[in-house]
Amino acid sequence: MTAINSSNGSSPTGRLRVLATTDLHMQLLDYDYFANRTDRSIGLIGLADHIAALRNDDGVTTLLCDNGDLIQGNPLADHLAARATAYETHPMIAALNLLQYDAMTLGNHEFDYGVDYLRNTLSKAAFAVVSANISCRDGRTLAAPFTVIKRTIRCNDGVSRPIRIGITGFGPPQIADWGDLGRDGTVRVEDIVTAAQNVVPKMRAAGADLIVALCHSGIGAAEHSPRMENAALPLAAIDGIDALLLGHTHDAFPRAHVASTDHRHGHLHEKPAVMAAFCGKALGWIEIDLQWNGSTWAITNSTARLEHPDTLDRPESVLRHKLRAIAAKPHAATLREIRTPIAKTGVRISSYFATVMPDLSQDVLARAMQDALKSSLAGTEHAALPILAATSSYRSGGRSSVGHYIDIPPGPITLRDVAAIFPFADKCCAIRRSGKQIRLWLERAAAHYNQIHPGQKDQPLINANSVNYNCDAIFGLTYQIDLTQPARFDVDGREIDSNARRIVKLAFQGRRISDTDTFIVAANSFRAKGGGSFPAIDEKDILVTSPHSMRDHLKAYLKNTGRFDASVQPTWSFTPIPKTAAVFSSAPQAQDHLTGPIRHIGPGKDGFAQYRIDF
């Protein structure tokens, strides 16, 4: 569609509104299954009345789309997947049907329970499911490359005129790598930009006046590279795409810290774009002003913004009652399941300082992973090699908000706690790594931190563009992170300084590690296959992939242990820097668990508290 800067004053004009959710991760209700409490800041239910009101605005034509990672991500999702035949229609699909969604695309976590489960789940959708770069190699349709939706635009002269809106979708190419789908030949995933260049002309030929791209991909590098995971910027540069709905990275856009964008209006390459955070924390909202030129539509202006749930305690609407009823039975069953005790802990297990010092919530997972691989490798040629474990924290604040931490007091450990420590369906892998490869792994993880200048106080510790789940620690080693040095990699995994060396004093059982030493590293399959912009491991070095999920191994370890009383292993620390300090955010209640060189400063932004670490 042609974009013009202003109307000539004589041609009729109208408005199209595009609403978007993304990365809902089965968060239909305003209930945090990991914290075992109601949370009105999350859940599709908190957006429902606002969506309905916007859709009922007679003066604006409105589309409603979802951008993927819809059906996996919490214990309710796991309950539904384990009992696929118990519910005629998947509750999340039923909810989207009720809210009259027009289209959705597929995210990477759609595939976590297998293609057959996904296909059956989507079969009840009353809306279009689109993906231009994901296909099944057996030829069976999983999603259409695009759809063209016919609507009318009510113009300022009182006349409603037809418009054909093309909607297509894209998922990260790594979908075929992160699980077994690509290796066993089930799924083929094409490069996002290549697929877009192929499908856009077909959409125009099918009569699309305007094209909306549902892109389950984040805002990464501006320049295209083959199979890039976060391809929003080069995708936006493609001629013919008029608006973009983004996702995958759980970020919020428009957001000021994102580079190469029009922050005020939410544009990428002068095209409106939104990324509506995750778990229903926001609703993406694009408004496109259109001008009718007698035979074609032209864009005269566009804006993008985010709207957030109404968290006030109000009487329930009829719509919200219907959504609760959809999920009532599986929700109640899920609560019974996750409250089941499986072990006890004699120590508090929390994640308030997960990227600032060794973290016990990761430590217990690392122990479970190491224990699982010892059994898997027993009797093989690799049995004598040391087994390490790479973990990161998926619930430690950051973009996930102030309520997203692990805090298990002494007492029972439940299935809910297991799901909080590792919320995904990934498998456990045994990876062969050299000392040099381990060092580079840790250098990549250390991109999470800013460079620290000696002698200065209250410098920001954490790189604002990084996410906590990419800050891996490797248990079984000891090492220091020297933050006076620049980062070797950026947060997208690109090497920016080959001479930089933040990881120092890397040792195993007190002996310095050489580049040629060999280890087994237990890691989740997402990381092993290159997830989070880490290098993908060569297949010959993935020695074992467990048939069981990470959570299954953690649950088995805790059951066998019975009672967990261990203290955190002294794995890593920051290199001392005299008369130097940095600041970071954590939950306000973290001040009740201060340790070592960490001090509470005071309140921070968005409900967080500020803390200082002295080096």
Side-chain angles (χ1 to χ4, degrees):
M1 177 175 287
T2 302
I4 57 179
N5 294 325
S6 62
S7 170
N8 61 21
S10 59
S11 298
T13 60
R15 176 168 290 180
L16 173 68
R17 175 183 292 146
V18 184
L19 305 178
T21 52
T22 190
D23 295 272
L24 287 172
H25 286 291
M26 200 51 231
Q27 199 64 57
L28 171 55
L29 301 177
D30 49 356
Y31 191 87
D32 186 336
Y33 294 92
F34 303 114
N36 199 25
R37 58 178 171 79
T38 296
D39 182 350
R40 290 192 175 91
S41 72
I42 60 175
L44 179 60
I45 195 170
L47 303 173
D49 288 335
H50 196 35
I51 288 171
L54 291 170
R55 293 214 64 155
N56 292 331
D57 185 347
D58 291 336
V60 182
T61 298
T62 301
L63 293 181
L64 175 60
C65 302
D66 184 77
N67 212 32
D69 276 8
L70 180 71
I71 61 171
Q72 187 279 336
N74 63 23
L76 175 59
D78 296 334
H79 169 84
L80 292 164
R83 295 158 183 81
T85 60
Y87 305 97
E88 181 179 351
T89 301
H90 191 286
M92 190 60 95
I93 298 300
L96 267 58
N97 289 342
L98 177 64
L99 293 171
Q100 299 180 350
Y101 272 69
D102 294 289
M104 72 165 287
T105 195
L106 303 174
N108 49 294
H109 285 294
E110 253 68 72
F111 296 87
D112 283 3
Y113 303 122
V115 172
D116 290 340
Y117 177 77
L118 174 58
R119 182 176 280 114
N120 183 64
T121 297
L122 296 177
S123 69
K124 304 300 193 302
F127 46 86
V129 181
V130 295
S131 181
N133 73 326
I134 301 173
S135 60
C136 290
R137 296 186 182 183
D138 61 6
R140 298 171 63 195
T141 300
L142 190 60
F146 65 90
T147 188
V148 178
I149 294 177
K150 296 178 180 179
R151 291 286 192 273
T152 58
I153 300 290
R154 184 169 179 81
C155 297
N156 61 349
D157 61 359
V159 177
S160 294
R161 295 177 170 86
I163 186 170
R164 296 176 299 276
I165 305 157
I167 303 177
T168 187
F170 308 93
Q174 291 73 21
I175 286 172
D177 301 334
W178 290 333
D180 295 326
L181 300 174
R183 185 169 56 194
D184 67 14
T186 303
V187 170
R188 178 186 294 110
V189 188
E190 190 180 5
D191 175 77
I192 290 174
V193 171
T194 301
Q197 290 169 336
N198 290 332
V199 78
V200 167
K202 296 176 182 177
M203 298 174 73
R204 293 298 183 190
D209 296 308
L210 180 146
I211 291 177
V212 178
L214 311 186
C215 179
H216 191 81
S217 180
I219 302 172
E223 298 297 322
H224 174 244
S225 58
R227 301 184 79 252
M228 65 191 302
E229 180 180 345
N230 294 308
L233 277 169
L235 179 66
I238 293 175
D239 187 36
I241 292 177
D242 298 298
L244 299 97
L245 311 181
L246 309 177
H248 183 53
T249 57
H250 293 195
D251 207 344
F253 182 82
R255 186 169 176 165
H257 77 256
V258 179
S260 304
T261 59
D262 179 336
H263 311 313
R264 188 164 60 92
H265 296 294
H267 285 69
L268 303 178
H269 291 290
E270 301 182 355
K271 299 171 184 178
V274 289
M275 188 190 304
F278 69 105
C279 286
K281 288 178 172 290
L283 176 69
W285 182 346
I286 290 176
E287 301 251 330
I288 302 174
D289 291 331
L290 299 166
Q291 183 183 84
W292 177 248
N293 294 325
S295 60
T296 60
W297 292 99
I299 297 173
T300 62
N301 190 37
S302 61
T303 59
R305 66 182 185 269
L306 298 179
E307 296 287 328
H308 299 280
D310 181 357
T311 58
L312 297 178
D313 189 9
R314 302 180 188 275
E316 288 271 276
S317 67
V318 172
L319 179 58
R320 288 170 61 101
H321 273 300
K322 289 180 178 178
L323 289 170
R324 289 201 194 281
I326 286 171
K329 183 177 178 181
H331 172 66
T334 299
L335 293 184
R336 289 193 297 270
E337 291 170 4
I338 66 174
R339 291 169 178 171
T340 303
I342 57 171
K344 292 183 178 180
T345 176
V347 294
R348 181 174 293 272
I349 301 172
S350 70
S351 63
Y352 294 122
F353 304 118
T355 65
V356 182
M357 58 177 52
D359 170 59
L360 191 56
S361 68
Q362 295 177 64
D363 189 320
V364 64
L365 178 60
R367 294 170 191 263
M369 295 162 68
Q370 289 170 304
D371 185 69
L373 291 193
K374 284 178 183 176
S375 299
S376 298
L377 295 172
T380 73
E381 60 182 303
H382 308 292
L385 291 174
I387 299 177
L388 315 175
T391 67
S392 58
S393 181
Y394 290 89
R395 197 171 173 87
S396 55
R399 292 181 188 174
S400 298
S401 84
V402 70
H404 285 241
Y405 289 90
I406 295 165
D407 192 347
I408 308 169
I413 300 176
T414 66
L415 290 176
R416 170 182 65 85
D417 300 319
V418 170
I421 291 172
F422 197 85
F424 303 110
D426 302 52
K427 303 295 195 297
C428 186
C429 297
I431 301 168
R432 178 172 51 204
R433 295 283 82 185
S434 69
K436 180 180 180 180
Q437 289 168 327
I438 287 172
R439 187 184 301 278
L440 290 173
W441 188 329
L442 292 171
E443 291 285 359
R444 164 65 185 92
H448 186 66
Y449 307 104
N450 291 318
Q451 187 173 4
I452 298 299
H453 303 284
Q456 295 184 18
K457 301 288 185 179
D458 293 353
Q459 306 167 69
L461 176 64
I462 307 299
N463 185 327
N465 293 317
S466 185
V467 289
N468 290 355
Y469 59 76
N470 282 340
C471 186
D472 286 4
I474 298 185
F475 287 84
L477 302 175
T478 56
Y479 56 95
Q480 291 186 351
I481 304 174
D482 185 355
L483 294 185
T484 66
Q485 301 302 306
R488 181 163 183 158
F489 298 92
D490 67 13
V491 296
D492 294 314
R494 293 183 295 264
E495 189 172 60
I496 54 177
D497 186 346
S498 60
N499 295 316
R501 190 182 179 100
R502 283 184 165 181
I503 304 303
V504 297
K505 298 184 179 180
L506 183 62
F508 174 72
Q509 295 183 349
R511 183 183 66 82
R512 293 293 174 91
I513 292 174
S514 72
D515 285 353
T516 57
D517 287 340
T518 302
F519 297 88
I520 301 297
V521 181
N524 66 69
S525 52
F526 172 76
R527 185 69 83 231
K529 301 299 179 66
S533 300
F534 279 68
I537 308 299
D538 192 293
E539 286 291 336
K540 66 179 176 58
D541 287 324
I542 302 179
L543 306 179
V544 173
T545 298
S546 171
H548 306 293
S549 71
M550 296 274 289
R551 275 178 297 179
D552 287 339
H553 288 304
L554 178 56
K555 182 169 64 174
Y557 172 78
L558 289 170
K559 280 186 172 181
N560 291 336
T561 302
R563 180 183 173 92
F564 185 81
D565 288 304
S567 57
V568 66
Q569 302 173 65
T571 303
W572 65 274
S573 63
F574 295 120
T575 298
I577 314 170
K579 300 180 180 179
T580 305
V583 295
F584 64 95
S585 297
S586 187
Q589 56 267 40
Q591 62 188 289
D592 298 328
H593 309 287
L594 297 177
T595 183
I598 297 175
R599 298 291 180 268
H600 176 245
I601 300 174
K605 296 180 180 178
D606 301 321
F608 285 94
Q610 286 285 96
Y611 297 85
R612 176 185 293 116
I613 180 170
D614 289 299
F615 295 103

Short mmCIF file of all heavy atoms in Angstrom, two decimals, residues 31-56:
data_model
loop_
_atom_site.label_atom_id
_atom_site.label_comp_id
_atom_site.label_asym_id
_atom_site.label_seq_id
_atom_site.Cartn_x
_atom_site.Cartn_y
_atom_site.Cartn_z
N TYR A 31 -4.27 -15.66 37.15
CA TYR A 31 -3.76 -16.49 38.25
C TYR A 31 -2.33 -16.90 37.93
O TYR A 31 -2.06 -17.44 36.86
CB TYR A 31 -4.63 -17.72 38.46
CG TYR A 31 -4.30 -18.45 39.73
CD1 TYR A 31 -4.90 -18.08 40.93
CD2 TYR A 31 -3.37 -19.49 39.75
CE1 TYR A 31 -4.59 -18.72 42.12
CE2 TYR A 31 -3.04 -20.12 40.93
CZ TYR A 31 -3.66 -19.74 42.11
OH TYR A 31 -3.32 -20.37 43.28
N ASP A 32 -1.44 -16.63 38.88
CA ASP A 32 -0.04 -17.01 38.74
C ASP A 32 0.15 -18.39 39.37
O ASP A 32 0.18 -18.53 40.59
CB ASP A 32 0.85 -15.98 39.43
CG ASP A 32 2.33 -16.22 39.20
OD1 ASP A 32 2.72 -17.36 38.90
OD2 ASP A 32 3.12 -15.25 39.31
N TYR A 33 0.26 -19.41 38.53
CA TYR A 33 0.38 -20.78 39.03
C TYR A 33 1.71 -21.01 39.74
O TYR A 33 1.81 -21.87 40.61
CB TYR A 33 0.24 -21.77 37.86
CG TYR A 33 -1.13 -21.77 37.24
CD1 TYR A 33 -1.41 -20.96 36.15
CD2 TYR A 33 -2.15 -22.58 37.75
CE1 TYR A 33 -2.68 -20.94 35.57
CE2 TYR A 33 -3.42 -22.56 37.19
CZ TYR A 33 -3.68 -21.74 36.10
OH TYR A 33 -4.92 -21.72 35.54
N PHE A 34 2.73 -20.25 39.37
CA PHE A 34 4.04 -20.43 39.99
C PHE A 34 4.10 -19.80 41.39
O PHE A 34 4.76 -20.30 42.28
CB PHE A 34 5.13 -19.83 39.10
CG PHE A 34 5.15 -20.41 37.72
CD1 PHE A 34 4.84 -19.64 36.62
CD2 PHE A 34 5.46 -21.74 37.52
CE1 PHE A 34 4.85 -20.17 35.35
CE2 PHE A 34 5.48 -22.29 36.25
CZ PHE A 34 5.17 -21.50 35.16
N ALA A 35 3.40 -18.69 41.56
CA ALA A 35 3.36 -18.03 42.87
C ALA A 35 2.15 -18.47 43.70
O ALA A 35 2.04 -18.12 44.87
CB ALA A 35 3.32 -16.51 42.70
N ASN A 36 1.23 -19.23 43.06
CA ASN A 36 0.06 -19.77 43.76
C ASN A 36 -0.85 -18.66 44.30
O ASN A 36 -1.30 -18.69 45.44
CB ASN A 36 0.50 -20.69 44.90
CG ASN A 36 -0.63 -21.62 45.35
OD1 ASN A 36 -1.54 -21.92 44.59
ND2 ASN A 36 -0.57 -22.07 46.60
N ARG A 37 -1.12 -17.67 43.44
CA ARG A 37 -1.98 -16.56 43.87
C ARG A 37 -2.57 -15.84 42.66
O ARG A 37 -2.07 -15.94 41.55
CB ARG A 37 -1.16 -15.55 44.70
CG ARG A 37 0.03 -14.96 43.96
CD ARG A 37 0.75 -13.93 44.82
NE ARG A 37 2.01 -13.51 44.24
CZ ARG A 37 2.11 -12.62 43.25
NH1 ARG A 37 1.05 -12.08 42.72
NH2 ARG A 37 3.31 -12.28 42.79
N THR A 38 -3.64 -15.10 42.91
CA THR A 38 -4.23 -14.25 41.88
C THR A 38 -3.29 -13.10 41.55
O THR A 38 -2.64 -12.54 42.44
CB THR A 38 -5.58 -13.69 42.38
OG1 THR A 38 -6.48 -14.78 42.58
CG2 THR A 38 -6.18 -12.73 41.37
N ASP A 39 -3.20 -12.76 40.28
CA ASP A 39 -2.36 -11.64 39.83
C ASP A 39 -3.12 -10.93 38.71
O ASP A 39 -3.19 -11.42 37.58
CB ASP A 39 -1.01 -12.16 39.34
CG ASP A 39 -0.08 -11.02 38.91
OD1 ASP A 39 -0.53 -9.87 38.81
OD2 ASP A 39 1.11 -11.31 38.66
N ARG A 40 -3.69 -9.79 39.00
CA ARG A 40 -4.53 -9.09 38.02
C ARG A 40 -3.72 -8.40 36.93
O ARG A 40 -4.31 -7.87 35.98
CB ARG A 40 -5.43 -8.08 38.72
CG ARG A 40 -6.53 -8.72 39.56
CD ARG A 40 -7.57 -7.69 39.98
NE ARG A 40 -8.67 -8.31 40.69
CZ ARG A 40 -8.72 -8.47 42.01
NH1 ARG A 40 -7.69 -8.07 42.75
NH2 ARG A 40 -9.75 -9.05 42.58
N SER A 41 -2.41 -8.44 37.02
CA SER A 41 -1.60 -7.82 35.97
C SER A 41 -1.35 -8.77 34.81
O SER A 41 -0.75 -8.38 33.81
CB SER A 41 -0.25 -7.35 36.55
OG SER A 41 0.60 -8.45 36.83
N ILE A 42 -1.79 -10.03 34.93
CA ILE A 42 -1.56 -11.00 33.87
C ILE A 42 -2.88 -11.64 33.45
O ILE A 42 -3.88 -11.54 34.16
CB ILE A 42 -0.57 -12.11 34.31
CG1 ILE A 42 -1.12 -12.87 35.53
CG2 ILE A 42 0.80 -11.51 34.62
CD1 ILE A 42 -0.25 -14.04 35.95
N GLY A 43 -2.85 -12.27 32.29
CA GLY A 43 -4.00 -13.03 31.83
C GLY A 43 -4.79 -12.34 30.74
O GLY A 43 -5.06 -11.13 30.80
N LEU A 44 -5.17 -13.11 29.74
CA LEU A 44 -6.03 -12.61 28.67
C LEU A 44 -7.34 -12.08 29.24
O LEU A 44 -7.92 -11.12 28.71
CB LEU A 44 -6.30 -13.72 27.67
CG LEU A 44 -7.20 -13.41 26.48
CD1 LEU A 44 -6.64 -12.28 25.63
CD2 LEU A 44 -7.43 -14.66 25.63
N ILE A 45 -7.80 -12.65 30.32
CA ILE A 45 -9.06 -12.23 30.92
C ILE A 45 -9.04 -10.76 31.32
O ILE A 45 -10.07 -10.06 31.26
CB ILE A 45 -9.42 -13.13 32.13
CG1 ILE A 45 -10.87 -12.95 32.53
CG2 ILE A 45 -8.47 -12.89 33.30
CD1 ILE A 45 -11.35 -13.98 33.54
N GLY A 46 -7.88 -10.25 31.70
CA GLY A 46 -7.77 -8.85 32.10
C GLY A 46 -7.84 -7.88 30.93
O GLY A 46 -8.08 -6.68 31.12
N LEU A 47 -7.64 -8.38 29.72
CA LEU A 47 -7.72 -7.55 28.51
C LEU A 47 -9.07 -7.68 27.82
O LEU A 47 -9.39 -6.90 26.92
CB LEU A 47 -6.62 -7.95 27.53
CG LEU A 47 -5.18 -7.89 28.02
CD1 LEU A 47 -4.25 -8.49 26.97
CD2 LEU A 47 -4.77 -6.46 28.34
N ALA A 48 -9.88 -8.67 28.23
CA ALA A 48 -11.05 -9.07 27.46
C ALA A 48 -12.07 -7.94 27.31
O ALA A 48 -12.57 -7.69 26.20
CB ALA A 48 -11.70 -10.29 28.12
N ASP A 49 -12.42 -7.25 28.39
CA ASP A 49 -13.44 -6.20 28.29
C ASP A 49 -12.95 -5.05 27.41
O ASP A 49 -13.73 -4.46 26.66
CB ASP A 49 -13.79 -5.68 29.68
CG ASP A 49 -14.61 -6.68 30.49
OD1 ASP A 49 -15.29 -7.53 29.87
OD2 ASP A 49 -14.56 -6.62 31.73
N HIS A 50 -11.67 -4.74 27.50
CA HIS A 50 -11.10 -3.67 26.69
C HIS A 50 -11.13 -4.07 25.21
O HIS A 50 -11.48 -3.25 24.34
CB HIS A 50 -9.67 -3.38 27.14
CG HIS A 50 -9.13 -2.08 26.65
ND1 HIS A 50 -9.90 -0.95 26.51
CD2 HIS A 50 -7.88 -1.72 26.25
CE1 HIS A 50 -9.16 0.05 26.07
NE2 HIS A 50 -7.94 -0.40 25.89
N ILE A 51 -10.77 -5.32 24.93
CA ILE A 51 -10.83 -5.81 23.55
C ILE A 51 -12.25 -5.71 23.01
O ILE A 51 -12.48 -5.23 21.89
CB ILE A 51 -10.33 -7.27 23.49
CG1 ILE A 51 -8.81 -7.33 23.69
CG2 ILE A 51 -10.71 -7.92 22.16
CD1 ILE A 51 -8.27 -8.73 23.86
N ALA A 52 -13.22 -6.15 23.80
CA ALA A 52 -14.61 -6.13 23.35
C ALA A 52 -15.09 -4.71 23.08
O ALA A 52 -15.78 -4.45 22.09
CB ALA A 52 -15.50 -6.80 24.39
N ALA A 53 -14.71 -3.77 23.95
CA ALA A 53 -15.12 -2.37 23.76
C ALA A 53 -14.52 -1.79 22.49
O ALA A 53 -15.20 -1.08 21.73
CB ALA A 53 -14.71 -1.54 24.98
N LEU A 54 -13.26 -2.10 22.24
CA LEU A 54 -12.61 -1.58 21.03
C LEU A 54 -13.20 -2.20 19.77
O LEU A 54 -13.36 -1.53 18.74
CB LEU A 54 -11.10 -1.85 21.10
CG LEU A 54 -10.33 -1.03 22.15
CD1 LEU A 54 -8.91 -1.55 22.29
CD2 LEU A 54 -10.33 0.45 21.79
N ARG A 55 -13.54 -3.48 19.84
CA ARG A 55 -14.14 -4.14 18.68
C ARG A 55 -15.54 -3.60 18.38
O ARG A 55 -16.00 -3.64 17.24
CB ARG A 55 -14.21 -5.65 18.89
CG ARG A 55 -12.84 -6.31 18.95
CD ARG A 55 -12.86 -7.68 18.36
NE ARG A 55 -13.18 -7.66 16.94
CZ ARG A 55 -12.82 -8.61 16.07
NH1 ARG A 55 -12.12 -9.63 16.47
NH2 ARG A 55 -13.17 -8.53 14.82
N ASN A 56 -16.22 -3.11 19.40
CA ASN A 56 -17.57 -2.60 19.23
C ASN A 56 -17.63 -1.12 18.89
O ASN A 56 -18.72 -0.54 18.84
CB ASN A 56 -18.40 -2.86 20.50
CG ASN A 56 -18.65 -4.35 20.72
OD1 ASN A 56 -18.71 -5.12 19.77
ND2 ASN A 56 -18.77 -4.75 21.98
#
